[in-house]
């Protein structure tokens, strides 16, 4: 995975917490910075896709790795 | 892009029904919606500082019971003393184990995200509820005030 500026480990958290924590973390970041999110909730794959579409933050990458779901989100 | 709006009417005061309004309100606010939740009748229980929400299998055939108890003792078994407390404890434990947030946590997140929580003034008066038992930051208003926002909303849910 590419470089990122901050990491958020949302492992073990269920809907809607990964999205809420991501939103909060992004709020403290600067435009253009990249957030790496680690989640274990399978629902987060579609949720982060929808989150990116609706908030304008770009979902640069979304992948699964050993039961974990990894996302790279660039703050708009 | 104009900010979208979500209006929710929360009318139920049990543990299971406490989740939908707070989950949807907090998520929508994370997506950039402006959100208002109007708490009326039993929904007002969700605004108490000290929540004592319970869940009951009585009259709820869809609620999963351990070991198929509901099949062995339909209805009668569900009325046994302590059954409601037991089911409430079991559901809370299951939610914690699965990483589901507590109602208090979701409610805090809503307030942090500036979701507007409105208590129905008429119900408060009707049940002689003590407003000092409610959390801070709650607005008190009537149906007309809510319609002002609901009428402009993109989504309106009755829960």
């Amino acid at each position: 995975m590419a470089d990122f500026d901050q990491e958020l480990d949302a492992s073990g958290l269920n809907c809607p917490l990964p999205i809420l924590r991501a939103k909060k973390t992004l709020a403290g970041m600067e435009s253009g910075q990249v957030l790496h999110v680690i989640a274990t909730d399978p629902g987060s794959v579609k949720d982060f896709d929808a989150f990116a579409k609706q908030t304008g933050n770009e979902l640069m990458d979304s992948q699964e790795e050993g039961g974990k779901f990894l996302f790279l989100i660039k703050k708009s | 892009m104009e900010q979208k709006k979500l209006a929710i009417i929360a009318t139920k005061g049990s543990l299971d029904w406490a989740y939908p309004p707070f989950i949807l309100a907090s998520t929508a606010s994370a997506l950039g919606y402006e959100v208002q939740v109007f708490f009326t009748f039993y929904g007002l229980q969700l605004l108490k500082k000290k929540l004592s929400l319970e869940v009951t299998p009585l009259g709820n055939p869809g609620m999963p019971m351990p070991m198929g108890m509901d099949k062995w003792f339909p209805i009668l078994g569900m009325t046994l003393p302590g059954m409601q407390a037991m089911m409430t404890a079991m559901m809370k434990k299951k939610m914690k184990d699965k990483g589901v947030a507590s109602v208090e946590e979701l409610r805090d997140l809503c307030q942090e995200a500036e979701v507007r929580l409105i208590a129905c003034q008429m119900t408060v008066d009707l049940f002689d509820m003590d407003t000092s038992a409610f959390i801070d930051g709650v607005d008190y208003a009537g149906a007309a005030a809510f319609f002002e926002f609901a009428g402009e909303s993109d989504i309106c849910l009755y829960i």
Side-chain angles (χ1 to χ4, degrees):
Chain A
M1 263 195 169
D3 285 342
F4 50 84
D5 300 288
Q6 270 202 55
E7 188 167 70
L8 169 68
D9 189 355
S11 300
L13 299 178
N14 225 315
C15 169
L17 291 176
I19 290 285
L20 297 182
R21 297 270 158 86
K23 166 82 180 179
K24 202 171 176 181
T25 311
L26 282 169
M29 292 170 62
E30 283 171 35
S31 180
Q33 286 193 317
V34 177
L35 173 66
H36 181 222
V37 181
I38 306 163
T40 49
D41 170 18
S44 62
V45 176
K46 285 223 163 83
D47 277 356
F48 273 103
D49 196 33
F51 173 75
K53 277 184 193 146
Q54 290 175 80
T55 59
N57 300 298
E58 185 195 345
L59 183 60
M60 298 164 62
D61 194 22
S62 168
Q63 55 175 276
E64 188 188 347
E65 208 178 279
K68 298 213 170 217
F69 303 94
L70 312 172
F71 308 96
L72 280 180
I73 304 162
K74 189 192 237 175
K75 182 168 176 174
S76 63
Chain B
M1 193 168 66
E2 204 186 327
Q3 193 178 27
K4 287 195 169 189
K5 291 177 182 170
L6 167 68
I8 297 177
I9 304 164
T11 61
K12 296 174 185 68
S14 59
L15 177 65
D16 44 348
W17 282 101
Y19 277 89
F22 290 127
I23 286 183
L24 295 171
S26 57
T27 304
S29 72
L31 296 175
Y33 282 70
E34 182 185 347
V35 188
Q36 289 195 10
V37 189
F38 187 69
F39 296 86
T40 185
F41 275 77
Y42 315 113
L44 282 172
Q45 300 299 333
L46 311 184
L47 292 178
K48 295 231 172 116
K49 276 180 198 145
K50 194 172 165 12
L51 292 174
S52 53
L53 305 172
E54 294 203 73
V55 66
T56 173
L58 256 187
N60 187 355
M63 190 169 157
M65 295 287 289
M67 300 174 293
M69 284 193 290
D70 47 338
K71 304 290 180 296
W72 292 97
F73 311 103
I75 306 193
L76 189 61
M78 305 301 107
T79 64
L80 291 174
M83 187 61 85
Q84 184 158 312
M86 190 184 91
M87 290 310 296
T88 300
M90 285 179 73
M91 183 163 277
K92 279 188 177 166
K93 182 175 186 305
K94 192 159 190 77
M95 282 171 157
K96 202 172 176 193
D97 291 349
K98 294 266 183 181
V100 174
S102 68
V103 175
E104 286 91 339
E105 191 180 349
L106 286 168
R107 187 173 68 179
D108 286 348
L109 289 166
C110 283
Q111 286 200 298
E112 222 172 89
E114 294 179 354
V115 169
R116 207 169 149 214
L117 308 177
I118 305 163
C120 169
Q121 182 71 59
M122 182 274 281
T123 316
V124 170
D125 296 341
L126 173 66
F127 293 128
D128 295 318
M129 296 176 100
D130 180 6
T131 54
S132 67
F134 292 127
I135 51 171
D136 297 330
V138 170
D139 291 318
Y140 295 86
F146 178 71
F147 272 114
E148 196 180 339
F149 179 81
E152 301 168 345
S153 70
D154 299 277
I155 304 172
C156 189
L157 303 172
Y158 179 85
I159 299 175

